[in-house]
Amino acid sequence: MLSTRVMEYCEDQGWWHEDVPADYEEALRKLGIALESDFAQFYLHAEDGPTFYSRNQELYQICWFMVNTVYMEDITVAQLTLGLPDAYIPLDSFEGEGGFFYNRVTDEVILVELGESIERFLRGESTPQWSNFNVFLEWYFKLDEEPTQ
């Protein structure tokens, strides 16, 4: 279940919507993502336009991108170009020679950059930085940090 912190944050931002578009559900099915997963619950209910912005990086609203762009082709290009396994899908545009990728099988999220970072990952010498999508979202939206006094 998606954490209360993530849901409340999205509600506070005006991003949380109870109505789920049918084409968004279909988009996630095409990606092979269970609609009960944290990943699906976030993307079915949270939307701030085509992207979210935090930590000086944009994060795709995956369902919006599936419906309105050639995202499936982008997945193929990213996997072929970077050599990532099929389970990994891009969460952003990989600008600045780095990007976030979600593992549809394990729910892990990685940040890889061109060069040594991706080479170490592909050789199995490094592991994903976030053990699941919810932990990633809490980091991305800075919900895991203590407030400053």
Side-chain angles (χ1 to χ4, degrees):
M1 168 115 192
L2 200 57
S3 77
T4 303
R5 290 200 303 190
V6 171
M7 290 189 292
E8 287 176 353
Y9 176 78
C10 291
E11 287 172 358
D12 291 347
Q13 303 303 310
W15 301 343
W16 194 260
H17 310 282
E18 291 302 324
D19 296 332
V20 175
D23 55 349
Y24 278 20
E25 288 182 347
E26 182 57 29
L28 292 173
R29 282 188 194 99
K30 284 181 185 176
L31 288 172
I33 294 172
L35 297 183
E36 302 78 33
S37 69
D38 291 347
F39 185 92
Q41 289 306 298
F42 176 74
Y43 283 114
L44 290 174
H45 294 283
E47 187 161 12
D48 182 37
T51 61
F52 300 93
Y53 189 79
S54 185
R55 296 193 178 266
N56 300 317
Q57 295 194 34
E58 282 187 313
L59 188 70
Y60 288 162
Q61 202 310 346
I62 297 297
C63 294
W64 188 94
F65 268 79
M66 281 288 293
V67 171
N68 296 292
T69 71
V70 293
Y71 181 72
M72 291 298 282
E73 292 175 22
D74 293 344
I75 291 171
T76 302
V77 168
Q79 290 169 343
L80 290 173
T81 303
L82 299 172
L84 291 172
D86 289 342
Y88 286 94
I89 61 171
L91 297 179
D92 61 22
S93 63
F94 205 76
E95 288 183 24
E97 299 184 349
F100 299 111
F101 289 84
Y102 173 71
N103 185 316
R104 297 179 273 189
V105 175
T106 66
D107 195 41
E108 297 168 320
V109 179
I110 61 169
L111 169 62
V112 293
E113 298 170 332
L114 292 179
E116 188 62 29
S117 168
I118 196 164
E119 290 171 15
R120 278 194 324 270
F121 178 75
L122 293 173
R123 288 191 306 259
E125 297 170 2
S126 65
T127 58
Q129 293 88 335
W130 298 276
S131 60
N132 63 62
F133 190 67
N134 195 78
V135 170
F136 167 74
L137 288 176
E138 289 186 3
W139 171 83
Y140 180 74
F141 291 123
K142 301 179 183 178
L143 305 177
D144 63 345
E145 297 176 3
E146 294 295 322
T148 55
Q149 308 264 328

